Every structure is written in C-alpha cells, then in structure tokens.
Amino acid sequence: MMNYDFDRVINRKGTYSTQWDYIQDRFGRDDIIPFSISDTDFPVPAGVQAALEKRIQHPIYGYTRWNHADYKNSIINWFQQQNNYTVNGDWILYSPSVVFSIATFIRLKSEPGDGVAVFTPMYDAFYNVIQANDRQLMPVRLGSAQQGYQIDWDSLETILAQKNTKILLLTNPHNPTGKVFSKAELKQLVTLCQHYHVFIISDDIHKDIVYAPNSYTPVTTYTQTDVVLCCSATKTFNTPGLIGSYLFVPEETLRDAFLLELKQKNALSSASIFGIESQIAAYDTGNDYLVQLTDYLQNNFDYLGHFLQDNLPEVGFKQPQATYLAWMDISKLGLTSDQLQDRLINTGRVGIMPGKTYGDRHYLRMNIACPLSKLQEGLKRMEHGIRS
C-alpha cells in the first residue's frame, strides 16, 4: 500500500491557480490565505501522476476518444468496488464538465420559463446555469447538519406539483451542507418526481468523500427513466484542471439527444488526453488514496470542531456527512455577512466564502481539504478577525 503525506505543504502560487493566484478577484486582496474554491491542496495519487508522466513521454497530443472499454470499465469497476453498484456500460457518456451536462439536460428537458426545483442553499454555479438558460429557480429549503438536514417535504411536493416545474436538480452529496441523501429519501424523491412528471438531474461529484456511518447511493438505483446522474473523479483526486466528467443516462433516446448536443452542436466529442488518462488511473489505482484522504479530512474536521468549541463557541458547527466543506453558522456573532467578511479579509487576512454566495447569509463555507498546518493558521486568523 502506498502511504500519502497529506501534511506536506505544496506551494501552488505561480501555477495559474484560481484559488491561490487569483484570490484578489474573489476577496479584493492577494495577501490572504484562501479556503474558497473546491479543489484541494493535496497532490494527486501516485498512479495518476505516473500515468500522466508516461503519457507525456509520447510527444503527440492529438484528438482523443473517450468511447472505449478502458474508460468505461474504470467507472464501472469503481462504482462496483466503492458502492456495490452495477452500472450498465451503455449508460456511460463523457462530458467536459458536470455543469455542462446539467445545463444541457436543463435545455433538453424543459422550455424557457419552466421551473427547476433545487434544495437551497446550493452550489453557486447552479444559480447561473438555471437563470442564464431562462429557467425559473424553485427553491426548497434544506436544513444544515446542525438542523438535522431537515427536508421540507410539503414545500417540495407543492413545488413539484406546479405545472411549470419540469426538473429537480439534486446534489448528492449536497454542496454546501454536506448532506448524503438516504436510500429512503431517494426513494421518496423518485416517487414524487414520477408522480408529477419531473425529470431528475443528480450531481454526484462529491460522492466518494463520505464519512462513516453514512453511505452514498446513486439515484439510478431507484429509477432508470427520467433521470441522469452526473459525476467526475476531479473533486476526489484533485484533477479539475485536467477537464473531464461522465454521466449515466439509462434511456437510449436521451443518450442520443445528449450526444447530438455534445458532438454536432458543440463539437466537444474529442476529450482532453490528460482528463481521460487521469480518470482511468484515478479509478484504477486510487482506493488507498481515497481511504487515507477521508481519514485525513476527518481529522481536519475534528480539529475544526474542537477549535470552534474552545475559541469561537458562538460559531455553530456540526461535522457534515460528506464533502470537505465546513458549513458554519455565524448567526450568533452579531455581525452582518459583509461586516464579517471585512473582518476576516482585512484584519484576519483569511479568505472564507460567505454563505450568501450559496443562498444563506447566516453561514460561512470553508474548504478544509488542505494540510492541517494551513487549517490551523486559517482558524487562528479567523478568530483574530472575529475578535478584533
């Protein structure tokens, strides 16, 4: 077994990193420590690095196919190994990104003016992808971990029952709250959506980082009609800059419709060589990495929880069921979101995302997927900013 040193600090500055080199775009200054974008500060698995180095030795980087057994089998085997779930290889399609897949299915399965139901707070890119495609956002409140992840089932049903609601956009596990939808909840969601003829788009990009005793189940376990599941290895294995995702589309007519969009309308059927190589290598060799990564992140969450308890007890926090995103309740601080950001950025010199970006100004979202030393420094700065 390969042992990974997640304590190792790697300087990411000067790599065109969105999180580190362009921090000023987000926070207005560049002399702060960021805990913002959801990529990690960890190196990729050794198997991924080796596969990329081997491929780089070949000096031609031509147009590249994704539709082959090596690519599909890596995904099939990973879901079997990690989730005891059997995927039909015919369902698997490539996409440049999960959000591209979501946007495409929003256009395929609804008309301008139609409603897209979403659990809020939600991943900020969803606001743009719904509204820029002239669809109506239909929010349903989802409680945080501190609130027991309550789903307002009555509100959800009321929204799904509306004639113009055509899509439920699900994130499982959920960003930013870290909720994993249980088998019973997924069954209930599927039952409601089928009753009201609502198409399900499920974004499962965070599916691998789940903490015991919780477990992830794909929504396609419970329906193979009116559903698409979108996923990628990029969050787990820190390869989003290599580009690439995949989706499960059980219905052949929908696969044909998506491929028409991908190939004919957008000419995106040739994949990134390094995206394909990294995807295959991550899923073929990444199990040891994932086990150690999840343990390390659990330790970071433990540290965060104790730190807040001892130093900032007014900040509400409960460990999420999944993801590496801490969703912290700041409503008892007696500060507005803008006042808090001013203190964090200009006094503490730390960049933590305001909850209003995701639809709830009473929270902060902190990415804790980093060496413990960075987290310790960031929390010290957070405390300094708040207490100043």
Side-chain angles (χ1 to χ4, degrees), residues 220-269:
T220 45
T221 307
Y222 302 113
T223 181
Q224 291 82 52
T225 57
D226 291 323
V227 68
V228 58
L229 186 154
C230 311
C231 199
S232 173
T234 56
K235 284 280 186 260
T236 309
F237 299 105
N238 204 26
T239 56
L242 297 176
I243 308 300
S245 77
Y246 57 87
L247 49 164
F248 300 163
V249 190
E251 294 174 271
E252 188 180 0
T253 52
L254 283 181
R255 290 199 295 274
D256 291 343
F258 182 81
L259 289 173
L260 182 72
E261 294 285 328
L262 187 78
K263 290 176 162 183
Q264 276 79 13
K265 292 190 183 179
N266 292 288
L268 287 171
S269 55

Side-chain angles (χ1 to χ4, degrees), residues 115-337:
V116 178
V118 195
F119 287 112
T120 58
M122 68 180 183
Y123 173 42
D124 52 320
F126 287 175
Y127 289 100
N128 293 334
V129 91
I130 292 167
Q131 287 160 351
N133 279 297
D134 302 318
R135 270 42 170 199
Q136 205 180 331
L137 174 66
M138 315 287 274
V140 181
R141 190 78 200 151
L142 177 66
S144 64
Q146 296 90 301
Q147 298 162 331
Y149 289 128
Q150 289 159 322
I151 296 172
D152 186 340
W153 289 101
D154 292 337
S155 288
L156 176 64
E157 181 159 10
T158 300
I159 281 174
L160 294 178
Q162 289 182 27
K163 246 195 182 68
N164 74 320
T165 305
K166 296 293 159 57
I167 289 168
L168 171 66
L169 175 50
L170 186 65
T171 3
N172 183 30
H174 186 263
N175 173 6
T177 67
K179 174 181 172 55
V180 183
F181 287 85
S182 70
K183 290 180 165 71
E185 287 167 338
L186 289 173
K187 279 183 193 168
Q188 195 167 344
L189 286 171
V190 165
T191 300
L192 283 170
C193 286
Q194 288 182 336
H195 182 73
Y196 294 109
H197 308 291
V198 172
F199 187 85
I200 299 171
I201 303 173
S202 191
D203 170 358
D204 295 20
I205 200 167
H206 290 280
K207 79 162 201 70
D208 293 319
I209 297 170
V210 176
Y211 306 99
N214 307 289
S215 64
Y216 158 83
T217 306
V219 69
T220 45
T221 307
Y222 302 113
T223 181
Q224 291 82 52
T225 57
D226 291 323
V227 68
V228 58
L229 186 154
C230 311
C231 199
S232 173
T234 56
K235 284 280 186 260
T236 309
F237 299 105
N238 204 26
T239 56
L242 297 176
I243 308 300
S245 77
Y246 57 87
L247 49 164
F248 300 163
V249 190
E251 294 174 271
E252 188 180 0
T253 52
L254 283 181
R255 290 199 295 274
D256 291 343
F258 182 81
L259 289 173
L260 182 72
E261 294 285 328
L262 187 78
K263 290 176 162 183
Q264 276 79 13
K265 292 190 183 179
N266 292 288
L268 287 171
S269 55
S270 181
S272 155
I273 291 171
F274 300 117
I276 296 293
E277 291 284 1
S278 66
Q279 168 77 65
I280 294 169
Y283 280 177
D284 285 355
T285 70
N287 185 62
D288 290 349
Y289 180 95
L290 175 59
V291 170
Q292 293 171 55
L293 172 68
T294 309
D295 287 347
Y296 193 89
L297 293 171
Q298 177 63 64
N299 186 56
N300 276 4
F301 273 128
D302 290 343
Y303 181 88
L304 171 77
H306 292 310
F307 182 93
L308 293 176
Q309 228 166 3
D310 295 344
N311 303 286
L312 288 166
E314 316 92 301
V315 176
F317 171 71
K318 190 178 176 193
Q319 150 111 31
Q321 294 173 341
T323 80
Y324 46 69
L325 305 168
W327 188 238
M328 299 177 284
D329 183 348
I330 47 131
S331 55
K332 292 194 176 129
L333 288 176
L335 297 167
T336 67
S337 178

